[in-house]
Amino acid sequence: MPWHDDMHDGFVPAPWEIAPSEGPWEIPAAEDLDPDPGVVAIRLRASSVVARWIPGQETEGWGYEGSTPGPRIEAHVGDRLVVDVVNDLPVMHSIHWHGLRIPAAMDGGAEGPMLAPGESVRLELPLRDAGTFWYHAHHESDEQIERGLYGPLVVRGPDEPASDRERVLILDDVLLDDDGELAPFGLDHAMVGRQGNVALVNGRGRPILDVEAGALERWRIVVASNARYFALDLPGHDAWRIAEDAGPRSRPEPVNWPLLLVPGERVELLVRMSGLAGDEVDLVSQPYDRGPFTRDDDDVPLVRLRYALPGGPLAAEVPSRLRATELAPADVARQTVVMQERHGGHGGSGHGMAFTFDGESWPDVTPRLAAEGDWQVWRLVNETGMDHPFHLHGFRFQVVGAEPVWKDTVNVPADETVEIAVSFDGFAGSWLFHCHILEHAERGMMGLLEVEGTR
Ligand code: C2O
Ligand code: CU
């Protein structure tokens, strides 16, 4: 069936059936080029790469240091991360450090460097927070991230909980044509976002992960998809949330599957491998309705857990407490951001429809104002019939009414309102906030925040 037959405008394609396959699933760590223990120095060269999204098939993608996803950056709180970015793509390129509190001039988006083909730049990033972060393209991000330009960043703190094994799992999907090449980019995806027909974990369709009965594993999960929401289910397995986007929970929180994760979000889990030797269990994403015509018919398998490893002495237990988060103060200034859809006219999408904040379409926006060090409550009002994942660059927030945990990305369900308490304890300058459905962000659903320096 030609690819376009199952891709009517506004409908998501049916996922392909992919058999689980063996092979390396781990994202290799970036080489630290500086012997100084307080400095992690790496190179990220963006170029065309060979992707192995479908078992046994090679596809042209884009990546960093020759692979997609790009290398796993490993560092510690307090380290300085020095990154030499080289743009060997045929297009302009910039990198956003999703979740980091870094100087605005280092962050691709509003102020950070934009590299023409052949250009390079050195970035210096302070690492203030422990957690699971990611870096990704921020110019024409709907196309560049879909092609594979992203990678994980793990920052470890002094008080990490023990586990028997740790894995970084980046969830994504790609939309491929009949030949297994990336389907054309265009306005067809403007409305629901480009939801793929091949789900990926660490750049591979349905890898097999060997696990050990009884082990307590720590999973650092990142969602790098353009538009797909993941409603994770791991039947028969107990798990606990220990950290959200940008910080730990105060204590482990038992997971009630399905666990919903939206584009841009991260979660860290402890997962008890409660199967028996010989068992095979799939981690799947259940159908989720994020708006009209976005729902899959069936579960989408992501990875297969194979209980193959010999049992050894296992030590790790779920801790009773983690690290408490500083609370948002009461009575702070408030702002309202209204998510709207605009019909007709020529703006945004070629289909006469665009999503906006407050009726304004990037780059013609009125900046939001804040002062460094302050707090504000932002009321995110979604007046559209579709969920939107809201992301703020450079700062962290807590969801009002939920357990205080640092986040930088939050789902705002269709026709609902979410309030967030934003801490502007970060860096002054110009910052972006946007919907992390990348087709929405690139077609106008992006705003500007000006943070005035106070120190
Ligand atoms: Cu991960 Cu501006 O986004
Ligand atoms: Cu959106």
Side-chain angles (χ1 to χ4, degrees):
M1 185 168 62
W3 66 269
H4 47 265
D5 277 9
D6 57 356
M7 254 184 276
H8 325 282
D9 182 32
F11 290 80
V12 299
W16 291 2
E17 284 193 24
I18 299 226
S21 67
E22 316 244 359
W25 58 270
E26 202 168 5
I27 299 172
E31 189 192 351
D32 181 359
L33 304 167
D34 189 322
D36 183 335
V39 179
V40 173
I42 63 152
R43 189 181 72 155
L44 289 180
R45 187 177 75 91
S47 71
S48 162
V49 300
V50 174
R52 294 186 178 79
W53 291 320
I54 299 183
Q57 189 167 334
E58 299 189 339
T59 311
E60 187 192 337
W62 288 352
Y64 295 106
E65 292 301 294
S67 67
T68 173
R72 184 180 88 244
I73 304 174
E74 287 276 350
H76 290 89
V77 171
D79 284 353
R80 191 157 48 91
L81 176 61
V82 180
V83 187
D84 284 320
V85 184
V86 182
N87 179 14
D88 277 343
L89 299 166
V91 293
M92 305 287 283
H93 184 60
S94 69
I95 298 183
H96 167 51
W97 299 86
H98 187 126
L100 293 191
R101 296 190 285 165
I102 52 174
M106 297 291 140
D107 194 46
E111 279 191 32
M114 174 73 82
L115 303 180
E119 285 187 340
S120 56
V121 70
R122 171 164 290 190
L123 303 176
E124 305 236 359
L125 313 174
L127 298 176
R128 296 178 61 175
D129 305 305
T132 305
F133 304 100
W134 63 303
Y135 57 92
H136 63 75
H138 215 280
H139 176 64
E140 295 173 351
S141 63
D142 54 336
E143 178 168 346
Q144 295 198 7
I145 292 179
E146 172 81 349
R147 288 185 184 276
L149 286 164
Y150 61 81
L153 163 59
V154 173
V155 185
R156 293 173 199 280
D159 52 358
E160 299 286 337
S163 62
D164 296 308
R165 180 182 298 266
E166 186 179 302
R167 305 180 195 261
V168 172
L169 302 174
I170 305 200
L171 313 182
D172 189 10
D173 64 5
V174 280
L175 183 63
L176 302 183
D177 67 14
D178 263 7
D179 300 322
E181 300 296 329
L182 282 167
F185 291 85
L187 295 170
D188 281 357
H189 315 295
M191 179 68 195
V192 297
R194 181 173 170 122
Q195 188 155 310
N197 46 15
V198 175
L200 302 177
V201 175
N202 296 356
R204 284 191 48 198
R206 219 175 164 193
I208 295 174
L209 273 47
D210 284 338
V211 302
E212 187 176 5
L216 186 66
E217 295 202 353
R218 179 179 187 170
W219 291 0
R220 297 173 178 268
I221 302 177
V222 179
V223 180
S225 51
N226 283 32
R228 176 180 291 277
Y229 282 35
F230 290 86
L232 299 182
D233 186 23
L234 184 58
H237 286 66
D238 288 335
W240 296 262
R241 301 171 85 111
I242 56 171
E244 309 295 322
D245 299 337
R249 304 185 73 90
S250 60
R251 51 179 48 81
E253 167 85 8
V255 170
N256 289 315
W257 308 109
L259 186 167
L260 183 67
L261 292 174
V262 305
E265 263 188 324
R266 286 90 64 215
V267 72
E268 292 181 27
L269 304 179
L270 291 175
V271 187
R272 180 64 77 187
M273 294 298 127
S274 47
L276 301 173
D279 281 358
E280 298 196 334
V281 184
D282 281 328
L283 171 71
V284 302
S285 180
Q286 292 184 353
Y288 177 80
D289 204 344
R290 60 182 172 83
F293 314 119
T294 59
R295 188 187 170 89
D296 294 315
D297 293 334
D298 298 303
D299 289 357
V300 177
L302 301 174
V303 296
R304 169 151 301 176
L305 303 183
R306 189 169 65 181
Y307 281 81
L309 296 179
L314 300 168
E317 293 295 335
V318 179
S320 57
R321 56 176 56 249
L322 297 159
R323 181 152 40 87
T325 301
E326 165 201 3
L327 294 187
D331 290 332
V332 297
R334 301 173 69 87
Q335 307 213 31
T336 299
V337 176
V338 185
M339 301 171 164
Q340 294 174 321
E341 50 190 48
R342 190 171 58 202
H343 301 264
H346 54 276
S349 98
H351 295 258
M353 169 151 225
F355 294 102
T356 65
F357 290 132
D358 307 299
E360 295 182 331
S361 211
W362 179 268
D364 303 315
V365 299
T366 313
R368 303 273 162 171
L369 304 178
E372 193 185 350
D374 273 6
W375 287 78
Q376 292 183 357
V377 167
W378 285 25
R379 189 175 163 79
L380 310 174
V381 182
N382 185 351
E383 293 184 348
T384 79
M386 177 176 279
D387 292 17
H388 299 281
F390 177 91
H391 170 50
L392 172 62
H393 284 210
F395 301 95
R396 309 183 298 177
F397 56 74
Q398 300 171 11
V399 176
V400 175
E403 195 204 315
V405 178
W406 290 120
K407 287 184 62 63
D408 52 59
T409 307
V410 67
N411 190 40
V412 186
D415 299 312
E416 289 189 25
T417 293
V418 170
E419 285 191 344
I420 57 174
V422 186
S423 162
F424 292 100
D425 180 3
F427 288 86
S430 301
W431 295 97
L432 299 179
F433 56 92
H434 58 87
C435 175
H436 221 289
I437 291 177
L438 301 171
E439 289 71 20
H440 295 174
E442 293 290 345
R443 284 164 194 80
M445 203 173 193
M446 183 145 70
L448 187 65
L449 164 69
E450 298 284 1
V451 178
E452 187 194 351
T454 57
R455 43 197 177 199

